[in-house]
Amino acid sequence: MSPRTHSSFFALLSRRVAAIGERWQSSLSTRTMIIIVVGGILGFVIAGAIVVSQIRGAVFNAALQTNIEQFSADATIAQDRFAQASSPTSGQLQQIANGVVSSMYDPTRGLIGSVLVRSDGQATPAVQILEPQVATSTQVRSLLTPELRAKTKAGDVSYMSVSVPGRDGDVAGLILGTAVNIPSAGQYELYAAYSLESQESLIRTTFRVLTFSVIALIVLLAFVSWLLMRLVLKPVQEASASAHQLAEGEFEARMEVRGTDELAQLARSFNLMAASLEDQFTRMERMSKVQTDFVSAVSHELRSPVTTIRMAGQLIYDKREELSPALRRSAELQHDQLRNLDMMLSDLLEISRYDAGGTSLATQPTDVGELARNVVEMAAPLAQDNDVEVSVTVEGDPHAEVEPRRIERVLRNLVVNALEHAEGNPVSVRIVGNESAVAAEVMDWGIGLDEDQAAHVFDRFWRADSSRVRKTGGTGLGLTIAKEDAQIHGGTLEATGVLGVGSTFLLTVPKVPHAHFVAPVALAAPEPLTGDLEPVEEEQ
């Protein structure tokens, strides 16, 4: 086998093993059937082994008892024949011995040979005879062992299990022996060999029948298990499919109720739950629509009076130098609050569009790095007021198919937020592009964020420090809208930080809206400052 064939074989084997493992993990019916079938096989094998062992023992004991009875009877007859001979000659004893041994050959009842052996340790008798044996393929004399002969000389009938020739090779057999006293010739031992081939055939037939029965029972068990799994798991699978439909928003999904058993109760309970969810979702959808319509209508209707008030306020603000100090301060406060109110109305209208699903993208090829530079340039007065140095770096290809207005709004929110919380420390804006996405990282070394604050920073109207006064006003909706702007492009907006060290906001958008992308930059909290951080020069 070549190395390439060897590696391909192991690769194929690993794929098959992985597929089996996946099937095992994902299918309850497969696991249940395999466990039932394997358990059934083990149970049948253990039970079959016990049954076969018991049958084998019973058959052997029955055959042994029968053969001992027959052998004892033959040995008694042989002893009587020797005892009836009065003053026998050597020839007469030899003839009787030959007749006794010849008579102990009957293959129909398993008796396949016999032999008459002179016992050891005797004085030379007056009459000597040769050891007769049956002329068969079974050499009984060669099967005798010293242990068996010692038992035989001790007294009663002795036996030993041996292998004897059969029709298809060696089979199990028995050697039975007993002591015989021959007048004038001394002590002899009579042995007979019995074949257990018929008993072995019976055991093989029994084992074969048991094997076929076990196979049939296993097949039946597998079929019954499959049928039960189908009856039990099919409603569960239907419930899973219906639950998936509910998760996808198809609240009309229902299960079919069959009968009155436990599975039917499951179906009824599921249908009741689905109906309740549909009713609650309908109410919540109606309330959400009413709320969205209300916010949108109020925001839209307030635009005109607010615009009128702003125009009047602007006139007062422009003439503030002609007013008394108290009225001048009131005009300035009015101007700032009217501007915040106008921003809030704009943000509420934008949020209501997102909630109503009425937003759409108008994309065009855009240099995100150029957008970042423009945002930093527009925020320069705020950076100067807060004594914050801002650096912009561009790495890789910053071009992407985006809606410039939305991405610029996200960057403006992130940069202004960083300037507000930098506490006079530097702010870094880094634009990184790869083949599939562009990332904008805004990092500050200010008051920072903890994990809980980072988890809520994009929530509506949420602020980490509600007592903090923002120089730019703010509505609490800026980061919420920024996250919506990122998601409408198919991108992400994330935040992390460390309290007392700083925070990082990372915007990642694909170069093609909603396309799969690999993030160019991983989200990471800023490291503590070890010295003065000089602004980094812009790079292209």
Side-chain angles (χ1 to χ4, degrees), residues 474-490:
T475 64
L477 294 173
L479 290 178
T480 303
I481 294 174
K483 190 172 184 68
E484 296 284 357
D485 284 333
Q487 291 177 344
I488 199 174
H489 285 85

Side-chain angles (χ1 to χ4, degrees), residues 161-174:
S161 297
V162 294
S163 294
V164 298
R167 288 187 296 269
D168 299 320
D170 288 347
V171 297
L174 289 171

Side-chain angles (χ1 to χ4, degrees), residues 398-417:
H399 293 83
E401 190 77 20
V402 297
E403 184 173 344
R405 177 181 66 87
R406 296 182 185 278
I407 298 302
E408 185 176 8
R409 182 166 60 191
V410 176
L411 294 174
R412 183 170 61 251
N413 272 294
L414 298 183
V415 170
V416 170
N417 184 71

Side-chain angles (χ1 to χ4, degrees), residues 33 36-37 216-230:
M33 285 188 60
I36 291 176
V37 171
L217 287 174
I218 291 173
V219 172
L220 180 61
L221 180 63
F223 174 75
V224 172
S225 302
W226 173 82
L227 186 61
L228 288 176
M229 288 301 100
R230 183 175 177 83

Side-chain angles (χ1 to χ4, degrees), residues 3 6 45 51 64 66 128 146 158 183 187 234 266 276 279 296 350 499-500 515 521 530:
H6 189 72
V45 168
V51 170
L64 176 62
T66 300
Q128 294 186 4
S158 61
Q187 192 75 19
K234 186 177 180 180
L266 170 65
S276 176
D279 182 59
S296 179
E350 188 68 21
L499 281 177
V521 178
T530 56

Side-chain angles (χ1 to χ4, degrees), residues 483-493 507-510 513-515 517:
K483 190 172 184 68
E484 296 284 357
D485 284 333
Q487 291 177 344
I488 199 174
H489 285 85
T492 59
L493 181 58
L507 166 70
T508 307
V509 291
H514 296 282
F517 66 89

